[in-house]
Structure formats: structure tokens, C-alpha cells
Amino acid sequence: MGDTKTLPLLLLKEAVLFPGMMLYIELEENDPAMDVVRAATKSREPLFATYRFAKLGELPEVLDEKNQPSVIASIGTVCVAPNVIHTPKGKYRIMLRGLERADAGFIPDDSVKKVEVTPYPLELRPLTQVESEAMKRELVSKFNEFAEKNPKMSKSALEPLLASETVDRMIDQGCYLIPIPMPVRQGLLEAKTNIERFQRLLGVLSTEIEIMSIHEQIHKKVQVNIDKNQKEYVLREQLKVIHEELGDVGPSDEGERFRRKVAELQASDDIKNVILNEIKRYQSIGNNNGEGGVIRNYIETMLSLPWDKVSEDNHDLKLAADILERDHYGMEKVKERIMEFLAVRSMTTNLNSPILLLVGPPGTGKTSIAKSIAESLGRQYVRVCLGGVRDESEIRGHRRTYIASMPGRIVMGLKTAGTKNPLMLLDEVDKIGSDYKGDPSAALLEVLDSAQNNKFVDHFVEQPVDLSHVIFVATANTTETIPRPLLDRMEIIELSSYTKNEKLHIAKEHLLPKQLEQHGLTLKQLGITDKAMDSLIEFYTREAGVRSLERKLGEICRKACRKICEDKENEVKTGKINVSDKNLEAFAGRKKYRKEALDKKPLVGVVHGLAWTSVGGVLMDLEVGLMPGKGEFVLTGSLGDVMKESAAIGRSYLRSVADLLGIEESLFREKDIHIHAPEGATPKDGPSAGVTMVTAMYSALSNTPIRQDVAMTGEVTLRGRVLPIGGLKEKLLAAKSNGMKDVIVPEANRADAEEISEEIIGGMQLHFVRDVKEVLDIAKA
């Protein structure tokens, strides 16, 4: 192109054309610019394409004679339109190819059709190879950083730019490819030198990168500072839609389901209002956070409690008696108490439910009798094991402020039963502990007080729960570890050890049929004679209850099963297996206990005492020896403090009445007295061995033989009085099983002895004594 030439003017509103670049534009059919393109294409002459500024703030510093800025850039690009395509939408797609830069001077407005343009060449200042390489590297670095910050631009779009061989070509490509504002592009087009253009492009890139960095920081801060409740609301709405798509139940639907359950709930209006208020809270909060889960758990717990749901009691006394007799042999006191309750309940409904404490050795049926009581009354049975419980919250429940909190065992028992009047067994109440978390036995005071348990408040439920209709049956092996205030609230029924005859009946009527059923056997396949059963009781199991006996019967059943199976595999016909006293060892093993032969002739310093333990009564021998010394007093055999005190009391009593009993007083100064209780590994304690120790010391000091068919028990005082003892039935059982003919018992225990069956007392002579002198008169040979 010459120095000056008149060319058609093409105004670009949304693009800036650079030399050497291809640019596509779209024009409407009636657009004036389209007439310019048609004329130029027809005459095959080039066009002058320049940018038309759209906003007042974008106007360049080009002024007319009236000092008014022009809206049309004077610097543009001479170009050709080699291709014009008519699109299906009625528009024209035109391809422009830039040739060179040109200056049209001042262009007043859009009405100008043609302009005189002069070339506006780029001044190329010489660059060394090092400068050129440095400029290229700087541009590459900025282009890459720009692409990383700008999410609209991919790195693949930079590939032709980065492949440019010269800095000028790279700048031309960058001006065309980089998404920067049009006025900025126009400024790059108007740069006079290559150095100025480089600096302008570098400045533009740096500015855009900084703007994008600041925008990113602001965006992150805004995201962090979004209101938490708004965020939760959005997530909750999204989750609601997800639940609807999946067919799950949301808080609103669940709230309606809860309301329907409240309408069906058998409870007072106060309880229903509490639940309805919690449902409102749950619906407003939803179940997507911790508090919503706690409220939902509370609502479900409240709805599952039997507030006013009562099961109907059985008033058929004969049926109740048959059930109690069917499942348990003996236990007359327990059965009598339950029958009395039923009889009174049939007369009035105002009777408070009894609170019973069954005390007895292990294996005597305390837990199992509770099931039978529940069945005989027609009530639900719930067992609450309290052995080892140390946390008060186990009884009263956990407060709702804790995640995963739950009601206490009492309320959970009601929930399990499904009625407000079940029979609740408080098992092992004597083994409750206490620590820094509280004392569970103190929490039980309200539960087991019939005067105030009608408004028991659980920490979780926080509403009064009526426990007055619940029959509480507690079990314990001893009352010594139960706090006195708690013991005072319960009606104590003692279950003593079983006699040999009772064990035989229990084994034949209950234990053996149960074991046969569990092992898939019948009475036609296995039978045990009475003599074999007697031997099992006497030589294999020495216990107050029948647990070990049941295990031995299970062992016999297992061996019988094995024999039947082996014979079947060997094609040997097996008849009925009869276990007798002769072949018992083949099924039950060697005998664990043997009868110790007692001395028939009287002995000096050896006396049979009777002791009570948690597993029943035992015969306890006491031996006293004298040796030269200085009057020292030695006690051995793992004796407890109370037993040591009893020995000291007996020694002092004998010394005080030595002349009356024919004992030389000098012996207490010149002889050492050694009292020993055999089986030293077994701890022994209690005051009931007092008369035994006095008798043994008297025998040794006076060299008087003592009958070996006599056993005794009783506490002794410094004045020689004999005081009452406990566990008389168990002690008499021990005396009977060891072949004693005479038993010395405190006079104060005569009433207890009258309640003991003839089966235990039969064959023995009971002597009721008031002081030690009577004991000595009976025991002396």
C-alpha cells in the first residue's frame, strides 16, 4: 500500500484486529457495515477496520476541533475479506485477515464511509539474542501464570503462542488470544515500537494477574464468611430433595408420623404436650445435626414407654399355685407370699405392689423363681442385672445434654416390658459398687420406696414415671453388703440351702428332663437311678444350690450322646443307657468328695463346730493344743478379727471361772494356748464359733475328752451366755450330712428350729442351751 490511500471504513464493536491475524465477525443483513463488506468484496479492494469504543470511559485521547473526543479509534488495521458465508440464521459470517497497521486520523462519527489512511508501521528496535530470549521467557512465564489464574482459559490455547519463534510474533499472538478488555487491546495495537508494545503487554498481563489474585482472595474470604445457618439451610433443602427422590422420610413427614403415634399413645395430656413440643423443635431443627438426633431419640423413647398401658393380672389362685409348684420344688415362703398378694389383689386394686428381697446361696433358684412369679401373675418379666454397676446414671439415666444419652435401666426395663406393671427382677443387688460417678444404691432408694416411686424422675425422660404398679423382686447372696436404708425398703425372704432330698426331687423332676431335652435325648434312651443321683449329690457336688448338679447331669448326657452316636456308626444296636451307682464313675468321673471317717471315741482338745458360708453350711473342726510357755495365745487357720475376738472372750471367761470348772489357774500363766482351724487356706470369720472355742479350750486345759458325735454353734459372752446365730438350717444340714447325733443350739434359736422340716432334723437330737456350762455338760464324754 502507498503512502496514502482511501479505503472503506469497517467499524468493529467487539473486536480489535491485529496484522497477520484472522478474525471472524457476524453481521446482520441490514447492518450498514454489511454494505461496506459487499462493496469491498465486489471491487476486491482492502478495508480499514478499526475499533469503535462502546463506553464513555473507554474513549481515547483523540479530540476534534471542538475538543470533543471521538468514539472511533484512529489507528486500525488494513485487511481483506476473503470469505463471506451466509448462515442458516440469516446472518453473514465474515473472515477478516489483517495486513498492516494504518492511521486514519480523526474520524468524527459513524456516518463516515471512507477514510484516507497512511501506514503506521511498528518501529523495530534492534534486540540482541540474549534480550530477545529474556523477553520471550518473561512473556512465557506471564502467559502461564495468567492461564493458571483465569479459569476461562486452558493451557492448550497457549500452545500456538508458546510455539512462536520471535518476540513480535509472540506479542501478536498474545494480543489476539489473551482474554483482555478491548480498549486495552486497542492500546497494544497503537504502540509505536516493539519495546513499548512488549512493556504494555507485560504490564497488562501483570495487572490482570494481580486483579485475578485479589479476586480469588476475596472469593475465598466470602466463602468462609458465608452465614452458617444459610449454608445449613441450603444443604438441608438439598438433602430434602434427595430424600424425596430416594423415597426416604424427612423431618416433616417423620413429625407427622410422630403426631399420629402421640394421638394413639395411652398417656396423660401433660406427657402428650411435652412430646408434641419436642416434635415442633425437631421439625424446625431437622435431623441433620447432633441436637436433632438427640431430640429424635427422646421422642422415640417417650413414645415407646408404657405410660398408662397395664396388663391384666391373673386372679386365678389355683392356676397361679400350679405354675409355682410346677417350676420349683420347696420355697414355701416365697410361694405363700405371692399367693397372699394375689388373694388381696382380688379383693382390692388399691394395694401397692410388693418389693421382695430373696436372699440365699447361689443356685437356689432365686432368679428362676422370679420368672415363675411373673407367669403366675400374668405379668411381663424384665431382668435388670445390677452386679458390678457403679454409675448412678445406670439407674437414673443420662441427661439429654450428652450425645448418645439414654434412660436408666429401670425406665429401659419398662420400655422392654411394654407395660407399666411388669415384674422387674433386680439381680445381684448385693454386688452394687460405688465410685466418683455416684452410688447406684442411693438412687435405688427412690425406686424401691412404695411411698414415692409413683413419681420417679429419670434424668433422660425428665417426666414423672409411675413405678408403684411394678412388682420388684431383688436377689442377693447376703444382706451384709446391702446398705441399711435400702434393706429397710424391702421385704426379706430367706432361701436356705436345699436338703439332700430336695436336691433329689429337683434333679429328677426339673434338671434331668431339662438336660435330656437340651441334648436331644429321651427317658427311653437314658435313665439315672436314685442311688446314682444320691451319689452325684453327695460325692460330686457339695453346694447349697443345684448348679453343679445340673452341670454333672449335662456331662452324663453328653457321654450318653457320644455312646449312642458311636454305636450307630459301628452298626451296634444301643438299648437304654442306665446310669447306676456301679457305673457312675464311667459317666461322671472320679468322686470329688469322700466321707471322712469321724473319730468315734472322745478326744481331748478337738470339737466340731458349725459354720455358715455363702455357699451353705459346713462342719468346722477346732483343735486346741497346750505347750510349756509364758501364757501366750496363738491363733492360726486364717481366722478373721471377729473370730479372734471370740477366742479371746472364751479364754477370758474360762480364766474367770477356772476354779468352778476344775481348771488350774496356773495353766494360763505357764502354758501357751494354740487354737487352730484346719483348712488354713479358707478364710473364716464370725462370732458363732464362740462356744466351740470355749469347749475346745476347756477340754485341753482340763484334759476332758469331748464327744465326737456332737456339733455346736453359738456366740459366747464374757459372762458365759450363749447368744443366737444365723443360718441355722444350713448348719443343721452340714451336721446331718456329717453324721452328727447331737447338735447344740442357742435357746434363742428354738423358734427357728421349729420351722425346719423333720427331713433335716430327723435322726439328730437338738439341745437348746443358755450358757456355756450347759454346753460343757452335753459335750463331755
Side-chain angles (χ1 to χ4, degrees), residues 702-717:
S702 64
N703 199 31
T704 302
I706 299 297
R707 293 169 51 192
Q708 296 302 296
D709 58 352
V710 175
M712 61 188 70
T713 180
E715 181 180 353
V716 71
T717 69

Side-chain angles (χ1 to χ4, degrees), residues 39-64:
T41 304
K42 188 175 183 181
S43 61
R44 294 186 180 181
E45 62 178 336
L47 299 163
F48 179 70
T50 188
Y51 177 64
R52 184 189 190 286
F53 295 93
K55 299 177 182 177
L56 185 62
E58 297 177 348
L59 297 181
E61 297 179 357
V62 180
L63 303 177
D64 61 5

Side-chain angles (χ1 to χ4, degrees), residues 118 128 131 155 165 191 228 289 304 310 330 369 379 381 412 431 468 493 510 541 545 564 616 637 640 642 756:
T118 57
T128 64
E131 289 176 334
K155 286 192 174 183
E165 296 179 358
K228 183 180 179 182
N289 56 22
S304 61
V310 182
I369 189 65
R379 296 195 178 193
Y381 168 78
M412 288 299 290
K431 297 174 180 62
S468 62
I493 299 178
H510 301 285
T541 61
I564 292 171
V642 176
I756 298 174

Side-chain angles (χ1 to χ4, degrees), residues 536-552:
L536 277 176
I537 295 169
E538 188 171 355
F539 300 116
Y540 290 87
T541 61
R542 284 190 179 177
E543 56 176 345
V546 291
R547 284 200 181 120
S548 297
L549 178 58
E550 185 175 7
R551 283 193 288 270
K552 275 296 176 183

Side-chain angles (χ1 to χ4, degrees), residues 440-471:
S441 62
L444 281 175
L445 293 177
E446 181 183 358
V447 174
L448 300 181
D449 190 343
S450 58
Q452 56 181 327
N453 64 2
N454 60 332
K455 291 186 178 180
F456 171 72
V457 178
D458 184 276
H459 288 161
F460 181 86
V461 175
E462 296 179 341
Q463 298 298 320
V465 179
D466 188 1
L467 301 179
S468 62
H469 299 278
V470 180
I471 294 180

Side-chain angles (χ1 to χ4, degrees), residues 66 113 116 178 532 550 765:
K66 296 181 181 179
K113 300 300 181 183
E116 289 186 359
I178 299 300
E550 185 175 7
Q765 179 68 38

Side-chain angles (χ1 to χ4, degrees), residues 666-697:
S666 60
L667 292 176
F668 293 97
R669 298 188 303 271
E670 299 171 357
K671 298 287 184 178
D672 291 344
I673 302 176
H674 185 174
I675 300 179
H676 175 66
E679 297 184 13
T682 305
K684 310 167 189 70
D685 203 2
S688 63
V691 294
T692 310
M693 290 182 173
V694 171
T695 305
M697 285 187 286

Side-chain angles (χ1 to χ4, degrees), residues 320-559:
D322 292 341
I323 293 173
L324 293 174
E325 291 294 338
R326 178 197 69 195
D327 295 336
H328 291 83
Y329 184 85
M331 296 189 176
E332 300 303 329
K333 285 187 178 180
V334 183
K335 295 175 182 177
E336 183 180 354
R337 180 65 182 86
I338 298 303
M339 295 304 294
E340 290 172 356
F341 169 75
L342 278 176
V344 177
R345 194 59 183 260
S346 64
M347 303 291 290
T348 177
T349 58
N350 298 324
L351 178 67
N352 285 331
S353 296
I355 300 174
L356 307 178
L357 173 61
L358 307 181
V359 183
T364 52
K366 298 183 297 296
T367 302
S368 59
I369 189 65
K371 281 187 180 181
S372 299
I373 294 172
E375 184 181 354
S376 65
L377 296 174
R379 296 195 178 193
Q380 295 294 321
Y381 168 78
V382 179
R383 178 175 176 265
V384 178
C385 184
L386 299 178
V389 172
R390 294 178 174 272
D391 190 354
E392 180 190 357
S393 298
E394 293 287 336
I395 306 299
R396 286 194 175 276
H398 303 81
R399 298 194 181 276
R400 283 199 289 156
T401 51
Y402 304 104
I403 299 295
S405 57
M406 59 188 298
R409 298 195 181 193
I410 303 300
V411 173
M412 288 299 290
L414 290 178
K415 178 182 175 182
T416 302
T419 62
K420 66 181 293 186
N421 63 334
L423 183 143
M424 190 171 293
L425 174 68
L426 304 179
D427 212 5
E428 310 292 355
V429 75
D430 60 325
K431 297 174 180 62
I432 296 177
S434 62
D435 58 11
Y436 67 95
K437 295 180 181 179
D439 186 358
S441 62
L444 281 175
L445 293 177
E446 181 183 358
V447 174
L448 300 181
D449 190 343
S450 58
Q452 56 181 327
N453 64 2
N454 60 332
K455 291 186 178 180
F456 171 72
V457 178
D458 184 276
H459 288 161
F460 181 86
V461 175
E462 296 179 341
Q463 298 298 320
V465 179
D466 188 1
L467 301 179
S468 62
H469 299 278
V470 180
I471 294 180
F472 288 102
V473 177
T475 67
N477 297 128
T478 177
T479 59
E480 294 178 2
T481 57
I482 301 176
R484 303 312 299 179
L486 183 60
L487 196 63
D488 183 59
R489 283 164 164 77
M490 296 182 284
E491 182 179 343
I492 302 174
I493 299 178
E494 293 187 0
L495 302 180
S496 55
S497 304
Y498 290 122
T499 64
K500 184 177 180 181
N501 185 49
E502 287 175 336
K503 289 182 180 180
L504 180 62
H505 280 283
I506 293 170
K508 290 172 62 177
E509 297 173 13
H510 301 285
L511 302 183
L512 182 58
K514 178 182 175 182
Q515 289 298 320
L516 290 175
E517 182 181 356
Q518 289 182 356
H519 291 82
L521 298 172
T522 64
L523 288 172
K524 293 182 179 180
Q525 294 174 298
L526 175 65
I528 302 178
T529 64
D530 287 354
K531 284 189 177 181
M533 201 73 79
D534 284 338
S535 296
L536 277 176
I537 295 169
E538 188 171 355
F539 300 116
Y540 290 87
T541 61
R542 284 190 179 177
E543 56 176 345
V546 291
R547 284 200 181 120
S548 297
L549 178 58
E550 185 175 7
R551 283 193 288 270
K552 275 296 176 183
L553 292 174
E555 182 180 344
I556 294 173
C557 290
R558 290 193 297 273
K559 284 185 168 58

